[in-house]
Amino acid sequence: MKSTPAEQNMTESLEQPRLVVHLIHQLDAGGFENGLINLIRNMPPERYRHAIVCLKDYSDFESQLQPRGVEIISLNKREGKDFGHYLRMFKALRALQPDLIHTRNLSGLEGQLVAALAGVKLRVHGEHGRDMFDLYGKRLKYQLLRRLLRPLIGHFIAVSADLEHWLIDNVGAEPQRVSQIANGVDSIQFHPRLGPPAAVGPAGFMQDNAFVIGSVGRMVDVKNHATLVEAFLRLIASPHPSHQRLRLLIVGDGPARAECVDMLTRAGASHRAWLPGERGDIPQMLRAMDLFVLPSLAEGSSNTILEAMATGLPVVATAVGGNTELVKPGFTGILVPPKSPELMAAAIADYCRIPEMGGRHGMRARSQVIAHHSLPAMARGYMAVYDALTNASPCTAAQEKRA
C-alpha cells in the first residue's frame, strides 16, 4: 500500500539528519582544524549532523561549535603505543552510532578498521598532507598499512592533485573512488587591509616604511621556519638600503620556535623580528604583513596560503605538494625549492625592492581565491561524497526539492 502525502510528510519530519563522525588527531589551532570547523559551519544542519572524535585532545573549539550541537570526544591517546585507545574509540563509535565516519591522514587511518568492527558501514578517508617522517608517502610500513586497509574505505578525498595522484598511483585506490576537493577560505573574514598597516608588535618593531615578511603556522620541523629566518638574516646583512626596512613576523607556536628565536638573538636581530606564539587574531596579523612566506618541506593544500591570498598578499612558498597548485609563479607569487635560503631571500628581495609587483600579485591572488576556493564550494564537494555514499535519503531528496 502506498503512503499518503500526509504520511510521507510525517516520515520526513521524523527522520533525523545523518550523523557524520570526524576522526582526527587533535583539535587545536591550525589550518587543518580551521578547515574542519569551516566545513561543519557551511554544511546545512538539516542534511548532516556532526561529531568530532580526537585521538588526543581538543582546545577551546567547543564554544565555536556549540551552536551546531557538535559533540567533541577526546580519546586521550598517550604518546607511543596505546592499545587502550582502540577500545575507547570502539566504545565511542558504538555509543554514537554514526551513519558515516570520516577519518583523516595517517594518524586516523587505523580508525577505519575500528569503525568497521563497530558496525559503521559508510567510511571516508581524507588525505590533507604528509608528516615529517614520511614526506613523500613512500615509507614501506605505512604503504603496507594503507594498502591493507584500502578495501575498508568507501571513498577517498584528497585536498590537492598531488595527493590524488599519490592515492591512485602509490596506494592503489580506484580512480572512481577518489575525489579532489579544494580547501575553502572565508574571503569576508580574510580581506585586504583598508588603510595603513596596524602597529603590531612590541615598541620599535614597526616603522612607517616597514616591509613585513610574515608566516603563520605551527612551528614544527615540517614547516621549516628556520629557512625563513636564515633568508631574513641574509637580507638584513646585505648593504642594499631597502633591506633595512625589513621586519619578520612569524605567528604560531611549537618546538621549532625556540630555535628560531635563538637564531635571531645570536644574529643581533631580535628587535627586527616578532614571534608572538599562538594568536587568535590571524586575520589582523595577516593584514599587518606585506608578503606571506611558507617555507614548508611538505604540504597538502595550505589553508594559511589561501588565507594570505584572500588577504591580498603575494606569496613566496616552497615548490612542494599543493603549493604548486595554489601559487602561480610570476602571477600571484614565487615558488622556490625547499631548504634554499638563498633563493628564498632573492624572492623576498624582489617584493621588497619592487612594491608595485606585490600589489599586482596580491590582487590576483585574492581574485583566484574568490573564484576557486569559496567555503560553499568546498562544502558542496564534501556533501556530494557523503550523499553518494548515503544514497540521498528520501528526507534529503525532499528537502533539496523544496530548496
Side-chain angles (χ1 to χ4, degrees):
M1 180 182 295
K2 290 185 178 181
S3 301
T4 66
E7 291 171 331
Q8 290 174 349
N9 289 336
M10 182 176 295
T11 300
E12 291 173 11
S13 65
L14 292 174
E15 185 171 340
Q16 275 194 313
R18 297 185 184 275
L19 176 62
V20 179
V21 163
H22 304 271
L23 178 68
I24 64 173
H25 180 71
Q26 186 168 321
L27 191 59
D28 204 350
F32 165 80
E33 290 81 2
N34 287 331
L36 174 57
I37 303 302
N38 284 330
L39 173 63
I40 292 173
R41 284 175 169 171
N42 284 271
M43 292 189 81
E46 69 274 11
R47 296 276 294 274
Y48 290 100
R49 296 175 294 133
H50 304 270
I52 300 174
V53 176
C54 306
L55 297 179
K56 302 281 284 187
D57 52 19
Y58 56 90
S59 56
D60 60 350
F61 281 93
E62 193 169 21
S63 59
Q64 297 185 42
L65 292 170
Q66 194 170 17
R68 287 276 181 164
V70 178
E71 184 175 0
I72 307 176
I73 298 171
S74 174
L75 299 180
N76 298 308
K77 181 181 182 298
R78 297 191 302 269
E79 292 297 331
K81 296 294 182 183
D82 178 10
F83 295 103
H85 93 279
Y86 294 119
L87 179 59
R88 296 191 292 275
M89 187 190 303
F90 178 85
K91 290 180 176 178
L93 293 176
R94 291 290 288 177
L96 290 168
Q97 294 187 342
D99 297 280
L100 183 149
I101 188 168
H102 186 161
T103 63
R104 288 165 171 86
N105 291 342
L106 180 63
S107 61
L109 190 59
E110 292 171 320
Q112 290 284 330
L113 177 58
V114 178
L117 294 173
V120 184
K121 292 183 169 52
L122 305 178
R123 297 178 294 272
V124 174
H125 181 72
E127 288 289 346
H128 292 250
R130 306 186 189 99
D131 295 298
M132 183 69 187
F133 50 78
D134 191 23
L135 289 178
Y136 306 105
K138 294 182 179 180
R139 198 166 175 179
L140 182 59
K141 69 175 182 178
Y142 299 130
Q143 283 279 45
L144 291 174
L145 177 64
R146 289 185 173 101
R147 287 180 172 273
L148 181 66
L149 296 180
R150 184 186 63 210
L152 296 177
I153 299 169
H155 204 86
F156 291 90
I157 293 174
V159 297
S160 67
D162 171 65
L163 290 170
E164 180 184 19
H165 296 323
W166 169 72
L167 283 169
I168 294 169
D169 299 337
N170 293 66
V171 179
E174 299 171 22
Q176 65 270 25
R177 291 172 56 201
V178 182
S179 294
Q180 182 196 342
I181 303 175
N183 287 339
V185 65
D186 186 343
S187 58
I188 297 175
Q189 181 185 22
F190 292 93
H191 64 80
R193 62 183 179 224
L194 304 176
V200 302
F205 173 67
M206 291 284 281
Q207 296 178 345
D208 290 341
N209 65 341
F211 185 91
V212 180
I213 308 160
S215 192
V216 177
R218 287 196 186 95
M219 298 195 72
V220 292
D221 288 344
V222 72
K223 298 300 182 181
N224 194 33
H225 288 99
T227 290
L228 172 56
V229 173
E230 187 176 344
F232 174 71
L233 293 175
R234 285 172 180 251
L235 287 169
I236 62 174
S238 85
H240 198 286
S242 66
H243 295 176
Q244 302 314 304
R245 305 164 46 216
L246 293 174
R247 296 294 183 269
L248 177 64
L249 170 57
I250 303 178
V251 181
D253 205 357
R257 182 169 176 266
E259 176 194 358
C260 292
V261 170
D262 185 55
M263 290 173 66
L264 291 161
T265 302
R266 283 188 279 110
S270 298
H271 63 292
R272 299 177 65 169
W274 185 38
L275 282 68
E278 188 177 312
R279 300 275 300 198
D281 56 349
I282 301 302
Q284 289 80 1
M285 291 292 101
L286 286 169
R287 283 192 284 274
M289 301 173 188
D290 296 285
L291 172 67
F292 186 83
V293 181
L294 192 70
S296 303
L297 300 177
E299 281 291 340
S301 181
S302 171
N303 280 294
T304 53
I305 282 184
L306 290 174
E307 289 166 358
M309 292 172 67
T311 308
L313 294 175
V315 176
V316 171
T318 45
V320 297
N323 291 357
T324 60
E325 301 165 39
L326 298 180
V327 180
K328 309 302 181 187
F331 192 76
T332 64
I334 299 175
L335 292 169
V336 298
K339 288 187 175 181
S340 299
E342 67 284 354
L343 295 178
M344 181 167 286
I348 294 170
D350 284 348
Y351 285 108
C352 179
R353 298 177 190 179
I354 315 171
E356 60 271 20
M357 182 175 79
R360 289 196 304 270
H361 289 187
M363 286 190 296
R364 293 168 185 164
R366 179 166 171 81
S367 297
Q368 179 180 320
V369 163
I370 292 172
H372 302 292
H373 296 279
S374 72
L375 290 177
M378 177 184 72
R380 286 194 298 271
Y382 280 88
M383 279 197 297
V385 172
Y386 296 168
D387 287 349
L389 290 174
T390 57
N391 292 318
S393 70
C395 176
T396 299
Q399 289 163 345
E400 284 183 325
K401 186 176 181 180
R402 288 197 296 271

